[in-house]
Amino acid sequence: MPHIITRNASSVEQNWLNDLANAISDPIQLLNSLKIDPTPWAEGLAARKLFALRVPLSFVERMEVGNPHDPLLRQVLPLAEEFEVHPGYSQDPLEEQDNAIPGLLHKYQNRALMIVKGGCAVNCRYCFRRHFPYQDNQGGKRNWQVALDYVAAQPKINEIILSGGDPLMAKDSEMAWLIDAISAIPHIKRLRIHSRLPVVLPSRITPELCQMLAQSRLQTVLVTHINHANEINRELKQAMQGLKQADVTLLNQGVLLKGVNDNVEALTLLSEALFDAGILPYYLHVLDRVQGAAHFMVDDHAARQLMAGLMENVSGYMVPKLTREIGGRRSKTPLDLHLE
């Protein structure tokens, strides 16, 4: 078992909690910090009422000063287009909101997904759960235990996915409780954690978290959510190394987003940067049709062309699967890459 160096737990955890508390929630403050005149964007800034703005300073520091079209800024800045209502888009595009057990989604035969926490460190404007009723799916030990009791009675489930919100909004003590409780279910083999926190708050990957994952009997997979190479900095790479030392498998799923990564060069640089950081490109999702995010849509034909270009530029193991998720289906749906 790898040896993980530990430091004072309370002080290390306080680092990421302080970083979280200092996140920007005012779009004018965000634009001013980047030396961008907020006046042309005034109409769109009101969209924060539809979906709050939240972005940690660590992520802001990776944005280009003076560039209102920076690909990282575009992911978090409220825009006027969010007020538009589009046919074919809904507040529940994956049909998740009518779940029988609070905080548990059992869409796939061998795995179940737990909504561990409703909050995120960053609010991405294209989020498919931006309308999710987190108030009815509160993250806490009472609901977690109900969910795990269900899982314990379903022997076909061999993998638990921790999601949200963002599951790493849970403190290390809560994560330890969860991991122990999941490990106590004999038929669970794997733990998968889907999180954006390591990206926007690398300080969240504490030595204590790495140690508890290293010591667990479960095979652990961390799936990061990175859409652009500029999101990957030195601190993120260091956090990923800590997880690799804990024998955690690192994968990435991104979303194909207009104005962010909808060109072959951006996707190529993303795959290269991910692999350099020890993360394997896993999925590239076409946009889930959530109301308020239609301006990010890249159509299927363009998506196929982009993937064909990416395949010409990187090795096959660095090409993510192009997929979409359709509500009610028991697996993701790959997009045929045949070009007419």
Side-chain angles (χ1 to χ4, degrees):
M1 184 174 295
H3 175 67
I4 309 296
I5 298 173
T6 61
R7 300 191 296 272
N8 182 278
S10 60
S11 63
V12 171
E13 183 157 72
Q14 198 58 47
N15 288 340
W16 77 265
L17 291 171
N18 287 339
D19 291 342
L20 182 65
N22 290 327
I24 293 177
S25 58
D26 181 350
I28 293 178
Q29 179 188 354
L30 174 60
L31 291 172
N32 285 338
S33 71
L34 295 168
K35 296 181 169 49
I36 297 171
D37 179 9
T39 306
W41 308 93
E43 182 181 356
L45 300 186
R48 65 184 292 200
K49 298 178 182 177
L50 300 176
F51 187 44
L53 179 139
R54 190 178 201 183
V55 54
L57 295 177
S58 172
F59 198 63
V60 177
E61 290 168 357
R62 292 170 241 176
M63 299 176 186
E64 183 183 358
V65 173
N67 181 8
H69 304 293
D70 176 86
L72 277 59
L73 175 63
R74 180 170 172 79
Q75 295 180 58
V76 300
L77 184 67
L79 296 175
E81 289 90 339
E82 294 182 42
F83 288 101
E84 298 173 2
V85 177
H86 291 262
Y89 289 72
S90 78
Q91 294 192 356
D92 186 16
L94 304 188
E95 300 177 9
E96 295 182 329
Q97 296 181 17
D98 188 22
N99 51 321
I101 299 174
L104 184 75
L105 302 175
H106 188 191
K107 297 189 290 184
Y108 308 131
Q109 181 168 303
N110 77 308
R111 52 209 186 274
L113 183 148
M114 292 179 63
I115 303 289
V116 176
K117 292 288 182 181
C120 291
V122 63
N123 285 348
C124 303
R125 309 311 299 180
Y126 52 87
C127 179
F128 68 93
R129 290 194 182 126
R130 58 182 285 165
H131 305 289
F132 191 81
Y134 290 112
Q135 69 279 2
D136 299 327
N137 296 269
Q138 294 292 325
K141 292 179 182 177
R142 179 178 298 178
N143 278 354
W144 297 342
Q145 189 61 63
V146 172
L148 292 173
D149 288 344
Y150 171 87
V151 170
Q154 301 289 328
K156 289 185 178 180
I157 298 176
N158 61 19
E159 181 174 348
I160 294 293
I161 302 169
L162 303 185
S163 185
D166 196 303
L168 290 185
M169 290 288 278
K171 296 179 180 180
D172 282 347
S173 59
E174 294 176 302
M175 288 298 297
W177 186 95
L178 260 176
I179 292 169
D180 286 347
I182 293 169
S183 297
I185 303 174
H187 53 267
I188 300 301
K189 297 166 51 179
R190 290 180 298 275
L191 174 68
R192 192 181 345 157
I193 303 170
H194 284 233
S195 181
R196 192 121 157 92
L197 255 79
V199 183
V200 300
L201 279 182
S203 56
R204 175 63 190 94
I205 305 304
T206 63
E208 291 67 39
L209 177 64
C210 292
Q211 185 167 36
M212 69 178 76
L213 294 175
Q215 293 175 342
S216 171
R217 71 164 184 84
L218 301 168
Q219 293 177 299
T220 303
V221 179
L222 179 84
V223 183
T224 58
H225 177 178
I226 302 171
N227 301 314
H228 195 277
N230 292 356
E231 298 178 38
I232 299 174
N233 64 357
R234 179 175 57 86
E235 290 77 16
L236 173 60
K237 289 181 179 179
Q238 290 175 340
M240 295 300 101
Q241 283 304 307
L243 290 167
K244 286 179 75 70
Q245 289 174 22
D247 288 337
V248 175
T249 299
L250 302 176
L251 305 175
N252 184 71
Q253 62 177 8
V255 183
L256 188 57
L257 300 166
K258 185 176 181 180
V260 173
N261 56 15
D262 58 331
N263 61 80
V264 173
E265 181 183 13
L267 292 175
T268 300
L269 291 173
L270 174 59
S271 281
E272 291 282 356
L274 286 168
F275 199 75
D276 287 347
I279 307 168
L280 193 67
Y282 171 44
Y283 277 138
L284 182 66
H285 294 282
V286 296
L287 185 76
D288 294 316
R289 294 178 180 270
V290 62
Q291 204 64 256
H295 53 291
F296 287 109
M297 176 58 75
V298 177
D299 67 54
D300 288 0
H301 180 70
R304 292 186 176 101
Q305 289 182 313
L306 290 170
M307 289 301 292
L310 177 62
M311 293 171 69
E312 293 176 357
N313 280 274
V314 300
S315 302
Y317 53 82
M318 294 166 63
V319 179
K321 298 175 184 177
L322 181 66
T323 60
R324 69 158 32 93
E325 191 155 2
I326 300 173
R329 292 200 180 175
R330 298 183 69 84
S331 68
K332 290 180 172 59
T333 303
L335 267 70
D336 182 0
L337 295 186
H338 175 71
L339 293 171
E340 297 179 355

